[in-house]
Amino acid sequence: MTTTPHVATATTPPVATGRGGTRGVLFAMCLSLVLVVASVSALNLALPDLAIDLSASNSALTWIADAYTVALAALVLPLGAIGDRLGRRNVLVAGTVVFGAASLAASFADSTGTLVVWRAVMGLGAAMIMPGTLSTITAAFPPEQRSKGVATWSGFAAAGAIIGMLAAGALLEKFTWRSIFVTSAAVALAAALAAVLLAPDTKDSHPHRPDVAGAVSTALAIGTLVFGIIEGNEKGWTEPVVIGAFAVTVVCFAAYACLGRRTEHPLLDPALFGIRGFRAGAVTVLVQFMAVFGFFFVGLQYLQLILDYSPLKAALALLPVALVVMPVSALTPRLVHRFGMKAAMSAGLLLLGAGLFVISLLDVDSGYLPFLGGLVLAGVGIGLSGAVGTSAITGSLGRGQQGVASAMNDTTREVGSAVGIALMGSIYGSHYRSALPAAPVDALPSDAAESVRHSAAAGLYVADRLGTQGAALADGVRSAFMEGLSASLVAVCVVVLAAAVGALLRAPKTPPAAD
């Protein structure tokens, strides 16, 4: 049986707020949101330390960063639906417990494999937390205030990455990378208390049977897609395991589309993608986060390895993004009202792509100012495209289905983040290895040479140990790093440009009407 998309109706649940009113709800939900988003980006500052401390290769570093986002992206839709059924705050609070416990356990990891496992469990907890943040805001805010609440949420979703990096940078000035996980566990406890005290426990007034087939097919599709990207770069794109992973991805996405149209109450109705605003918002958010978190993965290493910034100084160097994103996100509802959704969405993506392209032109001697120019330009695009994309998704569904709307928004964000890290990390890694100069690397002992090929951080570490004899190796590693950085940024710029053109041609001019 083919179902029709759920759209807003005249009968909707009454607005429910907690003890602190809408401001209290906004504070509690944004705190939980920042916890989840910050954990995607915070560990990026520790990648050079992890490469040396745990002997992690570029591929291992990509998995350490991506295990969290893959689990979050794969599970956020089904766990969002569970929150709709059992109570969004209940599931969110349970998620903070899982997240906090796994984060504390990760602080004791002594191998890359162990750390990857605990990062994945943290992703499970994050998938329980994330859907309840936006859906509680949209359910608690009256229609006339909802766009402001969504814009604030969107601003913190983008700025939360910078907040996480600032906190991680401050910690790494005095402590090891393990302190990041201990602090995350403490913040998880604070987020749980804030949610219990300030937020209402909203739920779908008419819950349906769980869509197990939809949950399994989407989780497998997302997981195998990211696995194929990372392992394809590491082992080769023609390896049977890589081809098999992509085949499973295609089959699972096809199964989701087929089964979703035959299920009376699918996890996410495929027909929803027939709504132009919903489809345009989903693509915009996915591409934006693919570009942003892929950039954070490689861009932070530029600041630390090429400009020789400390972790805190590297985080501070990215602060202009947050300073630009927050006010632009808050201003976006007015811009959409004046110029329309199509114009705001396409302009945001174009500005994001332009900023990243500016950064792709840098070389070893460029310094920070050209980097800052591209960063500010990208920040305007992030604030604009993120807010309008999120509003397009949530505005396409009624208040009783805001858990699914939120979960879809979260899924596009986290799938984008996971694919961006995997894609840009893989392109960077392959170009870095191929651009390394043969002479200084081949002259090293085999173990040292392998370390240099594994990561730029290890390469500079080896060069430093060689003293004056390592100067040529250090220069070669830095040049190879810039080759990888530029190639990865150009690739993502092409994707962002394609999305901007698609928005200009296919996005609706006006946003969906709130109910």
Side-chain angles (χ1 to χ4, degrees):
M1 179 175 65
T2 301
T3 58
T4 57
H6 177 91
V7 295
T9 62
T11 302
T12 54
V15 173
T17 57
R19 300 175 189 175
T22 55
R23 289 187 179 181
V25 172
L26 198 59
F27 170 80
M29 294 302 98
C30 286
L31 178 60
S32 292
L33 171 68
V34 168
L35 170 68
V36 171
V37 176
S39 295
V40 178
S41 61
L43 204 59
N44 288 338
L45 278 169
L47 292 179
D49 291 339
L50 288 168
I52 297 169
D53 192 22
L54 299 181
S55 300
S57 65
N58 280 326
S59 177
L61 291 175
T62 304
W63 271 119
I64 290 169
D66 234 2
Y68 176 84
T69 49
V70 169
L72 174 52
L75 298 174
V76 71
L77 261 180
L79 290 172
I82 291 174
D84 283 349
R85 187 180 185 88
L86 301 181
R88 294 155 187 153
R89 188 187 65 186
N90 291 339
V91 174
L92 183 151
V93 172
T96 60
V97 174
V98 173
F99 183 101
S103 186
L104 193 60
S107 69
F108 294 98
D110 57 1
S111 68
T112 56
T114 303
L115 187 55
V116 167
V117 168
W118 286 121
R119 285 278 288 172
V121 179
M122 288 174 65
L124 166 64
M128 299 170 71
I129 297 169
M130 191 78 166
T133 60
L134 181 58
S135 57
T136 297
I137 290 172
T138 54
F141 275 61
E144 64 274 11
Q145 297 180 19
R146 193 177 306 154
S147 63
K148 294 181 180 178
V150 169
T152 302
W153 182 96
S154 180
F156 274 101
I162 306 298
I163 293 170
M165 287 187 282
L166 285 172
L171 289 169
L172 292 172
E173 290 291 303
K174 298 291 184 182
F175 308 103
T176 70
W177 57 267
R178 301 178 190 277
S179 62
I180 296 173
F181 292 104
V182 175
T183 303
S184 295
V187 176
L189 176 61
L193 292 174
V196 170
L197 295 175
L198 299 174
D201 189 25
T202 62
K203 62 176 67 176
D204 190 345
S205 55
H206 301 289
H208 306 295
R209 288 182 57 190
D211 178 17
V212 177
V216 172
S217 61
T218 53
L220 282 175
I222 294 167
T224 53
L225 173 62
V226 174
F227 176 86
I229 293 172
I230 296 175
E231 294 302 311
N233 173 71
E234 184 70 14
K235 297 179 179 178
W237 300 104
T238 58
E239 285 294 310
V241 67
V242 176
I243 295 174
F246 286 132
V248 172
T249 301
V250 172
V251 170
C252 287
F253 273 130
Y256 152 72
C258 181
L259 294 173
R261 290 184 175 275
R262 295 174 179 271
T263 302
E264 185 175 2
H265 300 293
L267 182 66
L268 179 68
D269 190 348
L272 288 172
F273 290 97
I275 302 174
R276 290 176 67 195
F278 185 91
R279 182 177 64 245
V283 172
T284 296
V285 171
L286 185 146
V287 170
Q288 180 213 337
F289 271 70
M290 181 188 72
V292 170
F293 282 92
F295 165 70
F296 284 159
F297 181 76
V298 295
L300 277 168
Q301 295 183 71
Y302 167 79
L303 294 170
Q304 292 178 274
L305 300 179
I306 304 302
L307 300 188
D308 200 26
Y309 285 6
S310 69
L312 180 57
K313 188 175 180 180
L316 288 171
L318 290 178
L319 186 58
V321 172
L323 298 179
V324 170
V325 165
M326 292 298 291
V328 171
S329 294
L331 186 63
T332 295
R334 292 189 212 172
L335 296 175
V336 171
H337 178 74
R338 181 171 181 179
F339 299 106
M341 174 185 288
K342 180 197 295 281
M345 193 174 283
S346 55
L349 290 169
L350 285 172
L351 288 168
L352 170 59
L356 296 180
F357 183 73
V358 168
I359 297 173
S360 76
L361 300 176
L362 304 184
D363 57 35
V364 173
D365 300 316
S366 293
Y368 178 67
L369 285 181
F371 180 89
L372 176 62
L375 203 62
V376 171
L377 195 59
V380 176
I382 292 167
L384 190 56
S385 60
V388 71
T390 297
S391 293
I393 293 172
T394 59
S396 299
L397 300 179
R399 191 183 301 143
Q401 291 291 312
Q402 284 302 305
V404 172
S406 173
M408 181 60 203
N409 183 68
D410 298 338
T411 299
T412 55
R413 287 172 180 267
E414 303 314 325
V415 169
S417 300
V419 172
I421 292 170
L423 180 64
M424 292 186 69
S426 296
I427 293 173
Y428 153 71
S430 63
H431 280 76
Y432 165 76
R433 286 195 298 272
S434 63
L436 278 172
V441 176
D442 292 343
L444 296 170
S446 58
D447 289 347
E450 192 63 24
S451 295
V452 172
R453 295 187 186 100
H454 273 169
S455 74
L460 292 176
Y461 179 83
V462 171
D464 184 61
R465 292 297 177 271
L466 294 175
T468 55
Q469 296 179 347
L473 175 62
D475 290 341
V477 167
R478 292 189 182 97
S479 295
F481 174 89
M482 294 306 299
E483 288 285 339
L485 174 68
S486 179
S488 64
L489 286 172
V490 169
V492 82
C493 283
V494 172
V495 177
V496 174
L497 177 61
V501 173
L504 192 61
L505 296 176
R506 303 295 299 171
K509 179 175 175 53
T510 58
D515 68 312

